[in-house]
Amino acid sequence: MQFVNTLSQAPRRVLALISLACVALLAFGMYLQHVQGLEPCPMCIVQRYALVLVAVLTGLASLRPNKGWWMGWSVLALLASGFGAFVAARQSWLQWFPPEFASCGRDFYGMIENYSLSRAIPMIFRGSGDCTAIDWTFLGGSIANWSFVCFVLFFGVIATLLVRRR
């Protein structure tokens, strides 16, 4: 209970820390992609977009002391983290129970090169590439599993802030 009280006493600091955590997770994703050579699937890319959104929204929320300001941005960050958790949970499900046929369809870069952006964007959100592949693990969890844990943690902390400050 002391932890929850500490969270609600400095909501803007907590939101700034969430924003920094999202930036750190994005940097780690870039490291895995560009240094370790892991190619992200479209569901990973959607999770990155959700992380960027949570980072920006919590960063904006932490800028001003006005309660209405930070609560408004926090509600949007809550929705973005819920969306990210949903996508990560879906990818984790696909990894645990892979379908018999192609799980995500075409390669992301192949879609961008071969289709117009107006056709490629919807295809990205439907998923392409192999989202069932587990290329990296840490403590038995895949990137999608850890992404889900982080999004749920962000969701829980933001929800706690919103409920406690109401």
Side-chain angles (χ1 to χ4, degrees):
M1 195 59 160
Q2 178 68 19
F3 178 70
V4 174
N5 290 334
T6 304
L7 283 180
S8 62
Q9 289 175 356
R12 291 176 50 221
R13 285 187 191 145
V14 172
L15 292 167
L17 286 174
I18 291 173
S19 184
L20 287 174
C22 289
V23 170
L25 289 170
L26 287 165
F28 184 66
M30 293 294 124
Y31 166 78
L32 288 176
Q33 179 179 354
H34 296 290
V35 176
Q36 296 296 319
L38 300 179
E39 285 297 321
C41 72
M43 291 180 105
C44 297
I45 292 169
V46 171
Q47 290 169 59
R48 283 185 186 178
Y49 289 149
L51 267 178
V52 167
L53 204 55
V54 172
V56 168
L57 294 171
T58 54
L60 285 171
S62 69
L63 289 178
R64 292 180 55 193
N66 182 348
K67 183 178 177 182
W69 172 271
W70 73 259
M71 286 186 78
W73 289 112
S74 295
V75 168
L76 294 175
L78 186 74
L79 295 173
S81 61
F83 173 73
F86 172 77
V87 174
R90 176 69 178 139
Q91 185 177 4
S92 294
W93 179 265
L94 286 173
Q95 289 175 346
W96 291 329
F97 305 105
E100 293 181 28
F101 298 102
S103 62
C104 294
R106 295 179 53 98
D107 174 43
F108 172 73
Y109 297 106
M111 287 188 298
I112 296 296
E113 290 173 0
N114 295 321
Y115 297 104
S116 66
L117 198 56
S118 62
R119 283 189 64 201
I121 298 281
M123 292 170 79
I124 292 168
F125 286 102
R126 275 197 305 263
S128 67
D130 191 8
C131 296
T132 62
I134 299 174
D135 298 327
W136 180 89
T137 61
F138 178 70
L139 297 176
S142 69
I143 296 171
N145 303 147
W146 286 109
S147 179
F148 175 76
V149 168
C150 290
F151 278 120
V152 168
L153 183 65
F154 297 152
F155 187 92
V157 170
I158 295 169
T160 301
L161 287 176
L162 290 170
V163 169
R164 298 284 293 189
R165 297 298 276 187
R166 203 159 234 237

